[in-house]
Amino acid sequence: MKTPSVSRRRFAAAATAVLASTLVLAACGSGSDSGGSKGDVGVSLIVKTTSNPFFVAMQDGAKKAAKANGVDLKLAAGKTDGDEDTQIQAIENAISLGQKGILITPNGPGVVDAIEKARDAGLFVIALDTPPDPADAVDITFATDNFKAGESIGSWTAKKLDGKKAVIAMLDLFNDKVVSVDYNRDQGFLTGMGIPTKDKKKNADEAKSGSYSGGDYQIVCNEPTNGAEDGGTTAMETCLSKNPDINVVYTINEPAAYGAYQALKSAGKEKGVTIVSIDGGCAGVGYVKDGIIGATAQQYPLEMAAKGVEAIAKLAKDGTKPKTSPGLDFFDTGVKLVTDDPQDGVESVDTAAGKSTCWG
């Protein structure tokens, strides 16, 4: 069952703005710009933004798979995280080109109407990294189990505190739109900490104080970062202004984590604060090794994109559709906790192992 219209007017406005759009779109006329090759199978990869190494790595994985599978790949990206209009225009372009499929990391619920239009036009749509809400707005999602990723860093943090009071800053993705990757990671972290949650699709509705699995907790703030370093810095500054005694910082991703660290360092508060995150990029694994981040959950964007390209190529070849992982409504591309401070009962690998599988 497909999702009802979120904003038909928004979709129409984006379509009429095509000439003014600053869409980051790389055509594969010769195959050199995008890494794709000429072929009968046209695919668009539409990522959130190219300012985040995670999505650059995703593009790299798609390019290699396109070459190997005879796919004519086109790349597009939002101008910033949350830019739905540019993604909508990229979907429109894929439809007009008569492509076989789309791989997309949705920037928000505003793209759902355009995805519906693409599917109605016969394109096979795979979400990468960020499942839409509801999940069946696309044909399938290839992603990290983001709740599990958040849960792993939460469980590690609870053990690390060893009974100390947790004074927590929650540095999320957005506060003006609901995106599954945002609430799944946030709610997963709290669950791993042993903090009761309410609506699993809503951030910041849990009790602001109480008990976690090892002791007492206080949640000081839920601040948006837009998944960016400068956003992490600003968010952390805001949280410190509310309570300078924060000792746990949850972050949506590693750029936000590094930004938070910069704010802590500027305030002379970096010592005794545990920062945890999700990504597992090479820079982030380096932050763990250097003690900036205590632990990070490593995900695999190259595999997400490569498997997505391969799936659409196979669909075009013999009609075989990809299947979800057992017990899940998406295809799970895996996650591992990376830390050099292992905790009893929490499965993890060290930074040497994390470095061997990092990206970016």
Side-chain angles (χ1 to χ4, degrees):
M1 181 176 176
K2 294 184 180 178
T3 305
S5 171
V6 174
S7 175
R8 297 288 181 186
R9 290 191 299 275
R10 185 188 191 112
F11 181 83
T16 58
V18 60
L19 294 178
S21 173
T22 55
L23 176 67
V24 182
L25 182 62
C28 302
S30 64
S32 60
D33 289 335
S34 74
S37 59
K38 288 185 177 180
D40 295 330
V41 182
V43 176
S44 281
L45 170 63
I46 307 167
V47 298
K48 291 183 179 181
T49 174
T50 53
S51 63
N52 188 327
F54 181 88
F55 300 114
V56 175
M58 192 173 278
Q59 289 181 332
D60 290 342
K63 289 175 186 178
K64 290 177 182 177
K67 286 183 178 179
N69 289 275
V71 167
D72 183 8
L73 179 70
K74 298 191 183 300
L75 304 178
K79 295 183 284 294
T80 60
D81 209 327
D83 175 10
E84 295 167 311
D85 289 337
T86 301
Q87 287 198 325
I88 289 169
Q89 186 56 59
I91 294 168
E92 277 285 277
N93 290 347
I95 296 170
S96 66
L97 289 169
Q99 291 189 316
K100 182 66 177 178
I102 293 171
L103 311 173
I104 185 169
T105 57
N107 257 331
V111 304
V112 171
D113 279 352
I115 289 172
E116 181 181 15
K117 184 175 180 180
R119 294 177 72 189
D120 287 344
L123 281 73
F124 194 82
V125 182
I126 300 177
L128 304 178
D129 176 57
T130 305
D133 190 5
D136 65 0
V138 293
D139 290 288
I140 192 171
T141 295
F142 289 3
T144 304
D145 187 332
N146 284 297
F147 187 89
K148 181 179 178 181
E151 193 173 21
S152 70
I153 58 175
S155 298
W156 180 89
T157 302
K159 292 283 189 177
K160 171 73 174 174
L161 286 167
D162 193 26
K164 295 178 184 176
K165 181 177 180 179
V167 185
I168 306 168
M170 301 290 293
L171 304 194
D172 294 313
L173 185 58
F174 300 125
N175 65 0
D176 60 346
K177 55 171 62 88
V178 178
V179 180
S180 60
V181 67
D182 196 6
Y183 61 70
N184 279 328
R185 292 182 183 186
D186 177 298
Q187 302 292 286
F189 169 78
L190 294 172
T191 300
M193 283 284 292
I195 296 174
T197 60
K198 293 182 180 179
D199 186 342
K200 289 191 178 296
K201 293 186 177 183
K202 184 178 181 180
N203 291 342
D205 67 344
E206 64 280 340
K208 298 308 176 190
S209 62
S211 297
Y212 74 97
S213 60
D216 294 332
Y217 79 87
Q218 176 189 355
I219 297 175
V220 174
C221 57
N222 283 78
E223 290 293 323
T225 65
N226 291 314
E229 183 178 323
D230 58 349
T233 299
T234 300
M236 193 71 239
E237 289 171 346
T238 300
C239 293
L240 286 171
S241 72
K242 296 178 179 180
N243 189 329
D245 297 324
I246 290 166
N247 62 357
V248 172
V249 182
Y250 156 83
T251 59
I252 182 70
N253 64 9
E254 290 161 357
Y258 189 69
Y261 173 78
Q262 295 301 318
L264 288 162
K265 188 175 180 181
S266 294
K269 296 286 185 179
E270 75 275 19
K271 290 181 170 44
V273 178
T274 297
I275 302 174
V276 291
S277 197
I278 297 170
D279 260 351
C282 294
V285 173
Y287 298 152
V288 175
K289 185 174 179 61
D290 293 341
I292 293 171
I293 297 176
T296 191
Q298 186 173 70
Q299 50 183 345
Y300 305 102
L302 283 87
E303 183 173 0
M304 290 178 202
K307 286 187 177 297
V309 170
E310 291 165 5
I312 294 176
K314 186 169 180 57
L315 176 66
K317 181 180 179 180
D318 60 20
T320 302
K321 294 183 178 180
K323 297 180 180 180
T324 58
S325 297
L328 299 172
D329 60 2
F330 62 95
F331 182 90
D332 185 2
T333 53
V335 65
K336 288 183 181 178
L337 185 71
V338 179
T339 183
D340 284 333
D341 186 10
Q343 301 295 317
D344 289 342
V346 182
E347 186 176 349
S348 65
V349 299
D350 62 17
T351 54
K355 195 75 175 175
S356 70
T357 51
C358 70
W359 41 266

